Amino acid sequence: MSGTSLDAVDAALIKTDGETIFEFGPAIERKYLGDERKCLQQATEAARDWNWVGLKPEKLFEQARRIVVSTHVEAWKMLEKARFESRNESDRDPKRVGNGPEADPKQSRIKLVGVHGQTVLHRRPTDQSLGATLQLMDGASLAKQIGVSVAHDFRSADVAAGGEGAPLAPVYHRALLERLGGGPAAVLNLGGVANITARLSDGTLMAFDTGPANGPIDEWVEGHERGVHDEGGRFAAAGHVHEGVLAGLFEHAWFDEAPPKSLDRYDFNASMVRGLSFEDGAATLTAFSARAVAAGLAQLPEMPERVIACGGGRHNPTLMRMLADALTCELLSAEQAGWRGDSIEAEAFALLAVRTLRGLPISWPGTTGVSQEMPGGVVTRA
């Protein structure tokens, strides 16, 4: 998985039939280098300028696509190395019986890889037209280089059928929540955009984007040449929330729309707090992300008993504190729930890959607004 925050490629190994998670393997992160991130950022900016009108910036897209593939190949190699090392560690464990699936090399071979690609543009549907989405990835090239079949292009079928194309992780979130037991609960992903998956008390699944998360904060920090994100939330912690600006932001029509709904990373951006001091802008953007989550939860038929935060935003203590203040239910980090918070989206696309291979649905009316449950994705054989 490579998210819109443009920080890294995350890779994770799970054993699954697409419905149940049987086992977790290693997980790794391959950070983007400065030049790689710059190229992906340029491709994203070019995509926004193009917006499916006029001449497509294909040369720049191809440069970015090659970076996406090469970094995913490196992430694959890192994951294989971590897997080999963990297996050797297991071999040295005197308590290991030695007759499990890892004892048979054929059984332990990775069978399928799911890759999301780099989203550079996402447009939600309107009453007059279908939505559109663009992820940069070359599934055939990746499959050839790693020697394993690749499932990819997960969003296109949903969008073509009138859906929002996002979010797609809810079916994996449901599998994680089932491991924790019953009761209404929500999984919150704090990436460039924030989205929630809610499992209601009757088992119904609802999912949608709630608003911005890290995206505008990162953009604000980078625009002021103070880094690429608010490390430790210290900039926001040093500022004051401008309540007047914040109130104006919540007048956006987005917050009156009923879910399911989705956002492009730049539908809300750093220009929202232009004119504020650097620290006050960081504080106001952070508060906006937190309160937008609370506003989204208020649109559910029932309030969850707990919200489990995943994604990079959970590392921002100021954002997490503001979230805890804004919510009326318990807030946990992924780690407090026993999950791997940095790997959940990578794990999700592993599960979606198996569902794609089996022809199982990956989106539903309650998650993307599509008219009926939809399979999706494409499998390219190695």
Side-chain angles (χ1 to χ4, degrees), residues 81-331:
K81 180 181 178 182
R83 181 166 169 265
F84 177 78
E85 290 173 349
S86 66
R87 189 160 53 190
N88 282 350
E89 190 68 31
S90 179
D91 287 341
R92 289 191 291 269
D93 185 353
K95 298 179 182 178
R96 184 174 182 269
V97 175
N99 58 358
E102 289 292 325
D104 183 347
K106 293 182 179 179
Q107 290 294 319
S108 66
R109 180 178 180 272
I110 296 176
K111 306 292 179 62
L112 184 65
V113 172
V115 293
H116 174 264
Q118 185 64 52
T119 296
V120 292
L121 194 58
H122 182 83
R123 183 175 67 202
R124 51 187 315 228
T126 67
D127 293 338
Q128 292 77 37
S129 64
L130 296 174
T133 192
L134 179 59
Q135 285 76 44
L136 300 182
M137 172 51 67
D138 185 339
S141 177
L142 182 61
K144 181 179 180 180
Q145 292 186 59
I146 66 176
V148 178
S149 296
V150 169
H152 56 103
D153 194 17
F154 292 99
R155 301 189 189 274
S156 295
D158 183 87
V159 169
E164 298 270 346
L168 290 183
V171 66
Y172 183 68
H173 293 159
R174 180 176 65 186
L176 286 175
L177 288 172
E178 286 176 354
R179 294 170 66 93
L180 293 181
V187 179
L188 168 65
N189 178 53
L190 296 168
V193 171
N195 57 71
I196 58 172
T197 298
R199 183 191 61 192
L200 306 182
S201 54
D202 65 357
T204 300
L205 203 63
M206 291 184 66
F208 54 96
D209 290 345
T210 61
N214 307 318
I217 305 168
D218 295 349
E219 184 186 350
W220 180 256
V221 172
E222 192 165 14
H224 285 80
E225 299 183 345
R226 303 289 290 273
V228 295
H229 65 280
D230 187 359
E231 182 75 33
R234 66 184 189 278
F235 299 137
H240 298 281
V241 176
H242 195 297
E243 294 292 344
V245 171
L246 203 56
L249 296 179
F250 279 101
E251 293 177 1
H252 195 290
W254 164 263
F255 297 101
D256 294 323
E257 292 187 37
K261 50 186 177 178
S262 67
L263 286 169
D264 179 78
R265 152 66 183 84
Y266 289 94
D267 285 341
F268 292 100
N269 55 62
S271 67
M272 297 182 292
V273 294
R274 186 181 295 130
L276 298 184
S277 71
F278 173 64
E279 288 80 7
D280 287 358
T284 302
L285 289 172
T286 303
F288 183 45
S289 294
R291 297 188 201 179
V293 171
L297 289 172
Q299 291 187 293
L300 294 170
E302 61 179 335
M303 187 61 63
E305 295 173 354
R306 55 185 171 177
V307 172
I308 303 170
C310 311
R314 79 189 191 289
H315 293 306
N316 182 330
T318 306
L319 176 57
M320 291 294 283
R321 175 178 55 78
M322 290 181 174
L323 266 171
D325 290 342
L327 301 184
T328 59
C329 58
E330 182 183 18
L331 175 66

